[in-house]
Coordinates of all heavy atoms in Angstrom, one line a residue:
M22 N 67.7 16.6 -141.6 CA 66.6 17.5 -141.8 C 65.8 17.7 -140.5 O 65.5 16.7 -139.9 CB 65.7 16.9 -142.9 CG 64.5 17.8 -143.2 SD 63.3 17.0 -144.1 CE 63.3 17.6 -145.7
S23 N 65.6 18.9 -140.2 CA 64.9 19.2 -139.0 C 63.5 19.9 -139.3 O 63.5 20.7 -140.2 CB 65.8 20.2 -138.2 OG 65.0 20.7 -137.1
R24 N 62.5 19.5 -138.5 CA 61.2 20.1 -138.7 C 60.8 20.8 -137.4 O 61.0 20.3 -136.4 CB 60.1 19.0 -139.0 CG 60.2 18.4 -140.3 CD 59.0 17.6 -140.5 NE 59.2 16.9 -141.8 CZ 58.3 16.3 -142.5 NH1 57.1 16.2 -141.9 NH2 58.5 15.7 -143.6
T25 N 60.4 22.0 -137.6 CA 59.9 22.8 -136.5 C 58.5 23.2 -136.7 O 58.1 23.7 -137.8 CB 60.8 24.1 -136.3 OG1 62.2 23.7 -136.2 CG2 60.4 24.8 -135.1
T26 N 57.7 23.0 -135.7 CA 56.3 23.4 -135.8 C 56.0 24.5 -134.8 O 56.4 24.4 -133.6 CB 55.3 22.2 -135.5 OG1 55.6 21.2 -136.4 CG2 53.9 22.6 -135.6
T27 N 55.5 25.6 -135.2 CA 55.2 26.7 -134.3 C 53.7 26.8 -134.2 O 52.9 26.8 -135.2 CB 55.7 28.0 -134.9 OG1 57.1 27.9 -135.1 CG2 55.5 29.2 -134.0
L28 N 53.2 26.8 -132.9 CA 51.8 26.9 -132.6 C 51.6 28.3 -132.2 O 52.3 28.8 -131.3 CB 51.4 25.9 -131.6 CG 51.6 24.5 -131.9 CD1 51.2 23.6 -130.7 CD2 50.7 24.1 -133.1
T29 N 50.6 29.0 -132.7 CA 50.2 30.3 -132.3 C 48.8 30.3 -131.9 O 48.0 29.6 -132.5 CB 50.5 31.4 -133.3 OG1 49.8 31.0 -134.5 CG2 52.0 31.5 -133.7
A30 N 48.4 31.1 -131.0 CA 47.0 31.3 -130.6 C 46.3 32.1 -131.7 O 46.8 33.0 -132.2 CB 46.9 31.9 -129.2
A31 N 45.1 31.7 -131.9 CA 44.3 32.4 -132.9 C 43.8 33.7 -132.2 O 43.6 33.8 -131.0 CB 43.0 31.6 -133.2
P32 N 43.7 34.8 -133.0 CA 43.3 36.1 -132.4 C 41.8 35.9 -131.9 O 41.1 35.2 -132.5 CB 43.4 37.0 -133.5 CG 43.5 36.2 -134.8 CD 44.0 34.9 -134.4
T33 N 41.5 36.6 -130.8 CA 40.2 36.5 -130.3 C 39.6 37.9 -130.2 O 40.3 38.9 -130.0 CB 40.1 35.8 -128.9 OG1 40.9 36.6 -128.0 CG2 40.6 34.4 -129.0
D34 N 38.4 38.0 -130.2 CA 37.6 39.3 -130.0 C 37.1 39.2 -128.6 O 36.3 38.2 -128.3 CB 36.5 39.4 -131.0 CG 35.7 40.6 -130.8 OD1 35.9 41.4 -129.9 OD2 34.7 40.8 -131.6
A35 N 37.5 40.0 -127.7 CA 37.1 40.0 -126.3 C 35.5 39.9 -126.1 O 35.0 39.2 -125.3 CB 37.6 41.2 -125.5
T36 N 34.8 40.6 -127.0 CA 33.4 40.5 -126.9 C 32.8 39.2 -127.2 O 31.7 38.8 -126.7 CB 32.7 41.6 -127.7 OG1 33.1 41.4 -129.1 CG2 33.1 43.0 -127.3
A37 N 33.5 38.5 -128.1 CA 33.0 37.2 -128.5 C 33.2 36.1 -127.4 O 32.5 35.1 -127.4 CB 33.7 36.7 -129.8
T38 N 34.1 36.3 -126.5 CA 34.4 35.3 -125.5 C 33.8 35.7 -124.1 O 33.9 34.9 -123.2 CB 35.9 35.2 -125.3 OG1 36.5 36.4 -124.9 CG2 36.5 34.6 -126.6
E39 N 33.1 36.8 -124.0 CA 32.5 37.1 -122.7 C 31.3 36.2 -122.4 O 30.6 35.8 -123.3 CB 32.0 38.6 -122.7 CG 33.1 39.6 -122.8 CD 32.5 41.0 -122.9 OE1 31.3 41.2 -122.7 OE2 33.3 41.9 -123.1
A40 N 31.2 35.8 -121.2 CA 30.1 35.0 -120.8 C 28.8 35.8 -120.8 O 28.8 37.0 -120.4 CB 30.3 34.4 -119.4
T41 N 27.7 35.2 -121.2 CA 26.5 35.9 -121.2 C 25.5 35.2 -120.3 O 25.5 33.9 -120.1 CB 25.8 35.9 -122.6 OG1 25.7 34.5 -123.1 CG2 26.7 36.7 -123.6
G42 N 24.7 35.9 -119.6 CA 23.8 35.4 -118.6 C 22.4 35.1 -119.3 O 22.3 35.4 -120.5
P43 N 21.5 34.6 -118.6 CA 20.2 34.4 -119.2 C 19.5 35.7 -119.5 O 19.7 36.7 -118.9 CB 19.4 33.6 -118.0 CG 20.1 33.9 -116.8 CD 21.6 34.2 -117.2
V44 N 18.7 35.6 -120.6 CA 17.9 36.8 -121.0 C 16.7 37.0 -120.1 O 16.0 36.0 -119.8 CB 17.5 36.6 -122.5 CG1 16.7 37.8 -122.9 CG2 18.7 36.4 -123.4
A45 N 16.5 38.2 -119.6 CA 15.4 38.4 -118.7 C 14.1 38.0 -119.4 O 13.8 38.3 -120.6 CB 15.3 39.9 -118.4
G46 N 13.3 37.2 -118.7 CA 12.0 36.8 -119.2 C 12.1 35.6 -120.1 O 11.1 35.1 -120.6
A47 N 13.3 35.1 -120.4 CA 13.4 34.0 -121.4 C 13.0 32.7 -120.7 O 13.2 32.5 -119.5 CB 14.9 33.9 -121.9
T48 N 12.5 31.8 -121.4 CA 12.1 30.5 -120.9 C 13.3 29.6 -120.8 O 14.1 29.5 -121.8 CB 11.1 29.8 -121.8 OG1 10.0 30.7 -121.9 CG2 10.6 28.5 -121.2
P49 N 13.6 29.0 -119.6 CA 14.8 28.1 -119.5 C 14.6 26.9 -120.5 O 13.5 26.5 -120.8 CB 14.7 27.5 -118.1 CG 13.8 28.5 -117.4 CD 12.9 29.1 -118.4
P50 N 15.7 26.5 -121.1 CA 15.7 25.4 -122.1 C 14.9 24.2 -121.7 O 14.2 23.6 -122.5 CB 17.1 25.1 -122.4 CG 17.9 26.3 -121.9 CD 17.1 26.9 -120.8
A51 N 15.0 23.8 -120.4 CA 14.3 22.6 -120.0 C 12.9 22.8 -119.4 O 12.3 21.9 -118.8 CB 15.2 21.9 -119.0
A52 N 12.4 24.0 -119.5 CA 11.1 24.4 -118.9 C 10.1 23.4 -119.4 O 10.0 23.1 -120.6 CB 10.7 25.8 -119.2
G53 N 9.2 22.9 -118.5 CA 8.2 22.0 -118.9 C 8.6 20.5 -118.8 O 7.7 19.7 -119.0
V54 N 9.8 20.2 -118.6 CA 10.3 18.9 -118.4 C 9.9 18.4 -117.1 O 10.1 19.0 -116.1 CB 11.8 18.7 -118.6 CG1 12.3 17.3 -118.4 CG2 12.2 19.2 -120.0
S55 N 9.2 17.2 -117.0 CA 8.7 16.7 -115.7 C 9.9 16.0 -114.9 O 10.9 15.7 -115.5 CB 7.7 15.6 -116.0 OG 8.2 14.4 -116.6
A56 N 9.6 15.9 -113.6 CA 10.6 15.3 -112.8 C 10.8 13.8 -113.2 O 11.9 13.3 -113.1 CB 10.1 15.3 -111.3
A57 N 9.7 13.1 -113.6 CA 9.9 11.7 -114.1 C 10.8 11.6 -115.3 O 11.6 10.7 -115.4 CB 8.5 11.1 -114.3
A58 N 10.6 12.6 -116.2 CA 11.4 12.6 -117.4 C 12.9 12.8 -117.1 O 13.8 12.2 -117.7 CB 11.0 13.7 -118.4
V59 N 13.2 13.7 -116.1 CA 14.6 13.9 -115.7 C 15.1 12.7 -115.0 O 16.3 12.3 -115.3 CB 14.7 15.1 -114.7 CG1 16.1 15.3 -114.2 CG2 14.2 16.4 -115.4
T60 N 14.3 12.0 -114.3 CA 14.8 10.7 -113.6 C 15.1 9.7 -114.7 O 16.1 9.0 -114.7 CB 13.7 10.2 -112.7 OG1 13.5 11.1 -111.6 CG2 14.2 8.9 -112.0
D61 N 14.2 9.5 -115.7 CA 14.4 8.6 -116.8 C 15.7 8.9 -117.6 O 16.5 8.1 -117.9 CB 13.2 8.5 -117.7 CG 12.0 7.9 -117.1 OD1 12.1 7.2 -116.1 OD2 10.9 8.1 -117.7
L62 N 15.9 10.2 -117.8 CA 17.1 10.7 -118.5 C 18.3 10.3 -117.7 O 19.3 9.7 -118.3 CB 17.1 12.2 -118.7 CG 18.3 12.8 -119.3 CD1 18.6 12.4 -120.7 CD2 18.2 14.3 -119.2
L63 N 18.3 10.6 -116.4 CA 19.5 10.3 -115.6 C 19.8 8.8 -115.5 O 20.9 8.4 -115.4 CB 19.3 10.9 -114.2 CG 19.8 12.3 -114.1 CD1 19.3 13.0 -112.8 CD2 21.3 12.3 -114.1
V64 N 18.7 8.0 -115.4 CA 18.9 6.5 -115.4 C 19.7 6.1 -116.7 O 20.7 5.4 -116.6 CB 17.6 5.7 -115.3 CG1 17.8 4.2 -115.5 CG2 17.0 5.9 -113.9
G65 N 19.3 6.6 -117.8 CA 20.0 6.3 -119.1 C 21.4 6.8 -119.1 O 22.3 6.1 -119.6
V66 N 21.6 8.0 -118.6 CA 22.9 8.6 -118.5 C 23.8 7.8 -117.6 O 25.0 7.5 -118.0 CB 22.9 10.1 -118.1 CG1 24.3 10.6 -117.7 CG2 22.2 10.9 -119.1
Y67 N 23.3 7.4 -116.4 CA 24.1 6.5 -115.5 C 24.5 5.2 -116.2 O 25.6 4.7 -116.1 CB 23.3 6.3 -114.2 CG 23.5 7.3 -113.1 CD1 23.6 8.7 -113.4 CD2 23.7 6.9 -111.8 CE1 23.7 9.6 -112.4 CE2 23.8 7.8 -110.8 CZ 23.8 9.2 -111.1 OH 24.0 10.1 -110.1
R68 N 23.5 4.6 -116.8 CA 23.7 3.3 -117.5 C 24.9 3.4 -118.5 O 25.8 2.6 -118.6 CB 22.5 2.8 -118.2 CG 21.4 2.3 -117.2 CD 20.1 1.9 -117.9 NE 19.2 1.4 -116.9 CZ 17.9 1.2 -117.2 NH1 17.4 1.4 -118.4 NH2 17.1 0.7 -116.3
D69 N 24.8 4.5 -119.4 CA 25.8 4.7 -120.4 C 27.2 5.0 -119.8 O 28.2 4.4 -120.1 CB 25.4 5.8 -121.3 CG 24.2 5.4 -122.2 OD1 23.9 4.2 -122.4 OD2 23.6 6.3 -122.8
A70 N 27.2 6.0 -118.9 CA 28.4 6.4 -118.3 C 29.1 5.4 -117.5 O 30.4 5.3 -117.5 CB 28.2 7.7 -117.5
L71 N 28.4 4.6 -116.8 CA 29.0 3.6 -115.9 C 29.0 2.2 -116.5 O 29.6 1.3 -116.0 CB 28.1 3.5 -114.6 CG 28.1 4.7 -113.7 CD1 27.1 4.6 -112.6 CD2 29.5 5.0 -113.1
G72 N 28.5 2.1 -117.8 CA 28.6 0.8 -118.5 C 27.8 -0.3 -117.8 O 28.3 -1.5 -117.8
A73 N 26.7 0.0 -117.2 CA 25.9 -1.0 -116.4 C 24.4 -0.9 -116.8 O 23.7 0.0 -116.3 CB 26.1 -0.7 -114.9
P74 N 24.0 -1.7 -117.8 CA 22.7 -1.5 -118.3 C 21.5 -1.9 -117.4 O 20.4 -1.6 -117.6 CB 22.7 -2.5 -119.5 CG 23.8 -3.4 -119.3 CD 24.8 -2.7 -118.5
D75 N 21.8 -2.5 -116.2 CA 20.8 -2.9 -115.3 C 20.5 -1.9 -114.2 O 19.8 -2.2 -113.3 CB 21.1 -4.3 -114.7 CG 22.5 -4.3 -114.0 OD1 23.3 -3.5 -114.3 OD2 22.6 -5.2 -113.1
L76 N 21.1 -0.7 -114.2 CA 20.9 0.3 -113.2 C 19.5 0.8 -113.2 O 18.9 0.8 -114.3 CB 21.9 1.4 -113.4 CG 23.4 1.1 -113.3 CD1 24.2 2.4 -113.5 CD2 23.7 0.5 -111.9
D77 N 19.0 1.2 -112.0 CA 17.7 1.8 -112.0 C 17.8 3.1 -111.2 O 18.9 3.6 -110.9 CB 16.7 0.8 -111.3 CG 17.0 0.5 -109.9 OD1 17.8 1.3 -109.2 OD2 16.5 -0.5 -109.4
E78 N 16.6 3.7 -110.9 CA 16.6 5.1 -110.3 C 17.2 5.1 -108.9 O 17.6 6.2 -108.4 CB 15.3 5.7 -110.4 CG 14.2 5.0 -109.5 CD 13.5 3.8 -110.2 OE1 13.8 3.6 -111.4 OE2 12.8 3.1 -109.6
Q79 N 17.4 4.0 -108.2 CA 17.9 3.9 -106.9 C 19.4 3.4 -106.9 O 20.0 3.2 -105.8 CB 17.1 3.0 -106.0 CG 15.7 3.6 -105.8 CD 15.7 5.0 -105.2 OE1 16.5 5.4 -104.4 NE2 14.8 5.9 -105.7
S80 N 20.0 3.2 -108.0 CA 21.4 2.7 -108.1 C 22.3 3.8 -107.7 O 22.2 5.0 -108.1 CB 21.7 2.3 -109.5 OG 20.9 1.2 -109.9
D81 N 23.3 3.5 -106.8 CA 24.2 4.4 -106.3 C 25.4 4.6 -107.2 O 26.0 3.6 -107.7 CB 24.7 3.9 -104.9 CG 25.6 4.9 -104.2 OD1 26.8 5.0 -104.5 OD2 25.0 5.7 -103.4
F82 N 25.7 5.9 -107.5 CA 26.8 6.2 -108.4 C 28.2 5.6 -108.0 O 28.9 5.0 -108.8 CB 26.9 7.8 -108.4 CG 28.0 8.3 -109.3 CD1 27.9 8.3 -110.7 CD2 29.2 8.8 -108.8 CE1 28.9 8.9 -111.5 CE2 30.2 9.3 -109.6 CZ 30.0 9.3 -110.9
Y83 N 28.5 5.7 -106.7 CA 29.7 5.2 -106.2 C 29.8 3.7 -106.2 O 30.8 3.1 -106.6 CB 30.0 5.6 -104.7 CG 30.0 7.1 -104.5 CD1 28.9 7.7 -103.8 CD2 31.0 7.9 -105.0 CE1 28.9 9.1 -103.6 CE2 31.0 9.3 -104.8 CZ 29.9 9.8 -104.1 OH 29.9 11.2 -103.9
E84 N 28.7 3.0 -105.7 CA 28.7 1.6 -105.7 C 28.8 0.9 -107.0 O 29.1 -0.3 -107.1 CB 27.4 1.1 -105.0 CG 27.4 1.5 -103.5 CD 26.1 1.1 -102.8 OE1 25.2 0.5 -103.5 OE2 25.9 1.5 -101.6
N85 N 28.5 1.7 -108.1 CA 28.6 1.2 -109.4 C 29.8 1.6 -110.2 O 29.8 1.6 -111.4 CB 27.3 1.5 -110.2 CG 26.1 0.7 -109.7 OD1 26.0 -0.5 -110.0 ND2 25.3 1.3 -108.8
G86 N 30.8 2.1 -109.5 CA 32.1 2.4 -110.1 C 32.3 3.9 -110.5 O 33.2 4.2 -111.2
G87 N 31.4 4.7 -110.1 CA 31.5 6.2 -110.4 C 32.7 6.8 -109.8 O 33.1 6.5 -108.7
D88 N 33.3 7.7 -110.6 CA 34.5 8.5 -110.1 C 34.3 9.9 -110.7 O 33.3 10.2 -111.3 CB 35.8 7.8 -110.6 CG 35.9 7.7 -112.1 OD1 35.2 8.4 -112.9 OD2 36.7 6.8 -112.6
S89 N 35.3 10.7 -110.4 CA 35.2 12.1 -110.8 C 35.1 12.3 -112.3 O 34.3 13.2 -112.7 CB 36.4 13.0 -110.2 OG 37.6 12.5 -110.7
L90 N 35.8 11.6 -113.1 CA 35.7 11.7 -114.5 C 34.3 11.3 -115.0 O 33.7 12.0 -115.8 CB 36.7 10.8 -115.2 CG 36.7 10.8 -116.7 CD1 37.0 12.2 -117.3 CD2 37.8 9.9 -117.3
T91 N 33.8 10.3 -114.4 CA 32.4 9.9 -114.8 C 31.4 10.9 -114.4 O 30.4 11.2 -115.1 CB 32.1 8.5 -114.2 OG1 33.1 7.6 -114.5 CG2 30.8 7.9 -114.7
A92 N 31.6 11.5 -113.2 CA 30.7 12.6 -112.8 C 30.7 13.7 -113.7 O 29.6 14.3 -114.0 CB 31.1 13.0 -111.4
F93 N 31.8 14.1 -114.3 CA 31.9 15.2 -115.3 C 31.1 14.7 -116.6 O 30.5 15.6 -117.2 CB 33.3 15.6 -115.6 CG 33.9 16.5 -114.6 CD1 34.8 16.1 -113.6 CD2 33.5 17.9 -114.6 CE1 35.3 17.0 -112.7 CE2 34.0 18.7 -113.7 CZ 34.9 18.3 -112.7
Q94 N 31.2 13.5 -116.9 CA 30.5 13.0 -118.1 C 29.0 13.1 -117.9 O 28.2 13.5 -118.8 CB 30.9 11.5 -118.4 CG 32.3 11.4 -118.9 CD 32.7 10.0 -119.0 OE1 32.1 9.0 -118.5 NE2 33.9 9.7 -119.6
V95 N 28.5 12.7 -116.7 CA 27.1 12.8 -116.3 C 26.6 14.3 -116.4 O 25.6 14.5 -117.1 CB 26.9 12.2 -114.9 CG1 25.5 12.6 -114.4 CG2 27.1 10.7 -114.9
T96 N 27.4 15.2 -115.8 CA 26.9 16.6 -115.9 C 27.0 17.2 -117.3 O 26.1 17.9 -117.7 CB 27.7 17.5 -114.9 OG1 29.1 17.4 -115.3 CG2 27.5 17.0 -113.5
A97 N 27.9 16.8 -118.1 CA 28.0 17.2 -119.5 C 26.8 16.7 -120.3 O 26.2 17.5 -121.1 CB 29.3 16.8 -120.1
R98 N 26.4 15.5 -120.1 CA 25.3 14.9 -120.8 C 24.0 15.6 -120.3 O 23.1 15.9 -121.2 CB 25.2 13.4 -120.6 CG 26.3 12.7 -121.3 CD 26.1 11.2 -121.2 NE 27.2 10.5 -121.8 CZ 27.2 9.2 -122.0 NH1 26.2 8.5 -121.6 NH2 28.3 8.6 -122.5
L99 N 23.9 15.9 -119.1 CA 22.7 16.7 -118.6 C 22.6 18.1 -119.2 O 21.6 18.5 -119.6 CB 22.7 16.8 -117.1 CG 22.3 15.5 -116.3 CD1 22.5 15.7 -114.8 CD2 20.9 15.1 -116.6
Q100 N 23.8 18.7 -119.3 CA 23.8 20.0 -119.9 C 23.4 20.0 -121.3 O 22.6 20.8 -121.8 CB 25.2 20.7 -119.7 CG 25.2 22.1 -120.2 CD 26.5 22.8 -119.9 OE1 27.3 22.3 -119.1 NE2 26.7 24.0 -120.5
D101 N 23.9 19.0 -122.1 CA 23.5 18.8 -123.5 C 22.0 18.5 -123.6 O 21.4 19.1 -124.5 CB 24.3 17.7 -124.1 CG 25.8 18.0 -124.3 OD1 26.2 19.2 -124.2 OD2 26.6 17.1 -124.6
A102 N 21.5 17.7 -122.8 CA 20.1 17.3 -122.9 C 19.1 18.3 -122.4 O 18.0 18.5 -123.0 CB 19.9 16.0 -122.2
L103 N 19.4 19.0 -121.3 CA 18.5 19.9 -120.7 C 18.8 21.4 -120.8 O 17.9 22.2 -120.6 CB 18.4 19.6 -119.2 CG 17.9 18.1 -118.8 CD1 18.0 17.9 -117.3 CD2 16.5 17.9 -119.3
G104 N 20.0 21.7 -121.2 CA 20.4 23.1 -121.4 C 20.6 23.8 -120.0 O 20.5 25.0 -120.0
V105 N 20.8 23.0 -119.0 CA 21.1 23.7 -117.7 C 22.5 23.2 -117.2 O 22.9 22.1 -117.5 CB 20.0 23.3 -116.6 CG1 18.7 23.8 -117.0 CG2 20.0 21.8 -116.4
D106 N 23.2 24.1 -116.5 CA 24.5 23.8 -116.0 C 24.4 23.1 -114.6 O 23.9 23.7 -113.7 CB 25.3 25.2 -115.8 CG 26.7 24.9 -115.5 OD1 27.3 23.8 -115.7 OD2 27.3 25.9 -114.9
V107 N 24.8 21.9 -114.6 CA 24.7 21.1 -113.4 C 26.0 21.0 -112.7 O 26.9 20.4 -113.3 CB 24.1 19.7 -113.7 CG1 24.0 18.8 -112.4 CG2 22.8 19.8 -114.4
P108 N 26.3 21.5 -111.5 CA 27.6 21.4 -110.9 C 27.9 19.9 -110.6 O 27.0 19.2 -110.1 CB 27.4 22.2 -109.6 CG 26.2 23.0 -109.8 CD 25.3 22.3 -110.8
V109 N 29.1 19.6 -110.9 CA 29.5 18.2 -110.6 C 29.4 17.8 -109.2 O 29.2 16.6 -108.9 CB 31.0 17.9 -111.2 CG1 32.0 18.5 -110.3 CG2 31.2 16.4 -111.4
S110 N 29.5 18.7 -108.3 CA 29.3 18.4 -106.8 C 28.0 17.8 -106.5 O 27.8 17.0 -105.6 CB 29.6 19.7 -106.0 OG 28.6 20.6 -106.3
L111 N 26.9 18.1 -107.3 CA 25.6 17.5 -107.1 C 25.6 16.0 -107.3 O 24.9 15.3 -106.7 CB 24.6 18.2 -108.0 CG 24.2 19.6 -107.7 CD1 23.1 20.2 -108.6 CD2 23.8 19.8 -106.2
V112 N 26.4 15.5 -108.3 CA 26.5 14.1 -108.5 C 27.0 13.4 -107.3 O 26.5 12.3 -106.9 CB 27.4 13.8 -109.7 CG1 27.5 12.2 -110.0 CG2 26.8 14.4 -111.0
F113 N 28.0 14.0 -106.6 CA 28.6 13.4 -105.4 C 27.6 13.5 -104.2 O 27.5 12.6 -103.4 CB 29.9 14.0 -105.1 CG 30.9 13.8 -106.2 CD1 31.4 14.9 -106.9 CD2 31.3 12.5 -106.5 CE1 32.4 14.6 -107.9 CE2 32.3 12.3 -107.5 CZ 32.8 13.3 -108.2
A114 N 26.9 14.6 -104.1 CA 26.0 14.9 -103.0 C 24.7 14.1 -103.1 O 24.1 13.7 -102.1 CB 25.7 16.4 -102.9
Y115 N 24.3 13.8 -104.3 CA 23.0 13.1 -104.6 C 23.3 11.9 -105.6 O 23.1 12.1 -106.8 CB 22.0 14.0 -105.2 CG 21.7 15.2 -104.3 CD1 22.3 16.4 -104.5 CD2 20.8 15.1 -103.2 CE1 22.1 17.5 -103.6 CE2 20.6 16.1 -102.4 CZ 21.2 17.3 -102.6 OH 21.0 18.4 -101.7
P116 N 23.9 10.8 -105.0 CA 24.4 9.8 -105.9 C 23.5 8.8 -106.7 O 23.9 8.1 -107.5 CB 25.3 9.0 -104.9 CG 24.7 9.1 -103.6 CD 24.1 10.5 -103.6
T117 N 22.2 8.9 -106.4 CA 21.3 8.1 -107.2 C 20.6 8.9 -108.2 O 20.4 10.1 -108.0 CB 20.2 7.4 -106.3 OG1 19.3 8.4 -105.8 CG2 20.8 6.6 -105.1
P118 N 20.2 8.3 -109.3 CA 19.5 9.1 -110.4 C 18.2 9.8 -109.8 O 17.9 10.9 -110.2 CB 19.1 8.1 -111.4 CG 20.2 7.0 -111.3 CD 20.5 7.0 -109.8
A119 N 17.5 9.1 -108.9 CA 16.3 9.7 -108.4 C 16.6 10.9 -107.6 O 15.9 11.9 -107.7 CB 15.5 8.6 -107.6
D120 N 17.6 10.8 -106.7 CA 17.9 12.0 -105.8 C 18.4 13.1 -106.6 O 18.1 14.3 -106.4 CB 18.9 11.6 -104.8 CG 18.4 10.6 -103.7 OD1 17.1 10.5 -103.6 OD2 19.2 9.9 -103.0
L121 N 19.3 12.8 -107.6 CA 19.9 13.9 -108.4 C 18.8 14.5 -109.3 O 18.8 15.7 -109.4 CB 21.0 13.3 -109.3 CG 21.8 14.4 -110.2 CD1 22.3 15.5 -109.4 CD2 22.9 13.6 -110.9
A122 N 17.9 13.7 -109.8 CA 16.8 14.2 -110.6 C 15.9 15.2 -109.9 O 15.5 16.2 -110.4 CB 16.0 13.1 -111.2
D123 N 15.6 14.8 -108.6 CA 14.8 15.7 -107.8 C 15.4 17.1 -107.6 O 14.8 18.1 -107.8 CB 14.6 15.1 -106.4 CG 13.6 14.0 -106.4 OD1 12.8 13.8 -107.4 OD2 13.6 13.2 -105.4
V124 N 16.7 17.1 -107.3 CA 17.5 18.4 -107.1 C 17.5 19.2 -108.5 O 17.3 20.4 -108.5 CB 18.9 18.1 -106.6 CG1 19.7 19.4 -106.5 CG2 18.7 17.6 -105.2
V125 N 17.9 18.5 -109.5 CA 18.0 19.1 -110.8 C 16.7 19.7 -111.2 O 16.6 20.9 -111.7 CB 18.6 18.2 -111.9 CG1 18.4 18.8 -113.3 CG2 20.0 17.8 -111.6
H126 N 15.6 19.0 -111.1 CA 14.3 19.4 -111.5 C 13.8 20.6 -110.6 O 13.4 21.6 -111.1 CB 13.3 18.3 -111.4 CG 12.0 18.7 -112.0 ND1 10.9 19.1 -111.2 CD2 11.5 18.8 -113.2 CE1 9.9 19.4 -111.9 NE2 10.2 19.2 -113.2
S127 N 13.9 20.5 -109.3 CA 13.4 21.5 -108.4 C 14.3 22.8 -108.4 O 13.7 23.9 -108.4 CB 13.2 21.0 -107.0 OG 14.4 20.6 -106.4
D128 N 15.6 22.6 -108.4 CA 16.5 23.8 -108.2 C 16.9 24.4 -109.6 O 17.0 25.6 -109.6 CB 17.7 23.4 -107.5 CG 17.4 23.1 -106.0 OD1 16.3 23.2 -105.6 OD2 18.4 22.7 -105.3
L129 N 17.1 23.6 -110.6 CA 17.7 24.1 -111.8 C 16.7 24.3 -112.9 O 16.8 25.2 -113.8 CB 18.8 23.2 -112.3 CG 20.0 23.1 -111.3 CD1 21.0 22.1 -111.8 CD2 20.6 24.4 -110.9
I130 N 15.6 23.5 -113.0 CA 14.6 23.6 -114.0 C 13.4 24.4 -113.6 O 13.1 25.4 -114.2 CB 14.2 22.2 -114.5 CG1 15.4 21.5 -115.2 CG2 13.0 22.3 -115.5 CD1 15.1 20.0 -115.6
E131 N 12.9 24.0 -112.4 CA 11.7 24.8 -111.9 C 12.2 26.1 -111.3 O 11.4 27.1 -111.3 CB 11.0 23.9 -110.9 CG 10.4 22.7 -111.4 CD 9.0 22.9 -112.0 OE1 8.2 23.5 -111.3 OE2 8.8 22.5 -113.1
G132 N 13.4 26.1 -110.7 CA 14.0 27.3 -110.1 C 13.3 28.0 -109.1 O 13.2 29.0 -108.7

């Protein structure tokens, strides 16, 4: 007896899959979040993602076992928590929670 499974793509509506930009005049999702709150959030994200509960705001991503997969986890958690798209390259360029928080807050939240 032979079993065959056929996978087909679900039909899509092109308008439903188009990327949408921010609405003019809309408040960014993370508007009003303080730099200190972003730092605290990042410390918690680093602790969880790197499995190191003793990390602080000056702990280095690389020195604590960070890699590209973990960097993607960090940015995904930030996007979920703050509603801003954080490029993974920022995690590599600013490897401490304090440094990354400063950039995220000033460039992506405060804009």
Side-chain angles (χ1 to χ4, degrees):
M22 177 196 252
S23 171
R24 288 189 185 194
T25 304
T26 303
T27 303
L28 300 175
T29 58
T33 61
D34 177 0
T36 60
T38 59
E39 290 177 9
T41 58
V44 176
T48 303
V54 175
S55 70
V59 177
T60 301
D61 290 343
L62 171 66
L63 270 164
V64 169
V66 168
Y67 271 43
R68 287 175 178 170
D69 290 343
L71 296 168
D75 58 337
L76 297 181
D77 63 20
E78 65 274 353
Q79 296 303 321
S80 297
D81 187 275
F82 180 76
Y83 303 111
E84 291 174 4
N85 288 285
D88 57 22
S89 59
L90 179 59
T91 309
F93 278 103
Q94 292 172 348
V95 168
T96 59
R98 289 185 185 188
L99 285 175
Q100 184 171 349
D101 288 345
L103 300 173
V105 295
D106 187 23
V107 179
V109 74
S110 61
L111 291 181
V112 177
F113 297 116
Y115 303 95
T117 69
D120 291 341
L121 182 55
D123 286 343
V124 172
V125 168
H126 187 263
S127 65
D128 293 358
L129 303 177
I130 295 175
E131 296 273 310

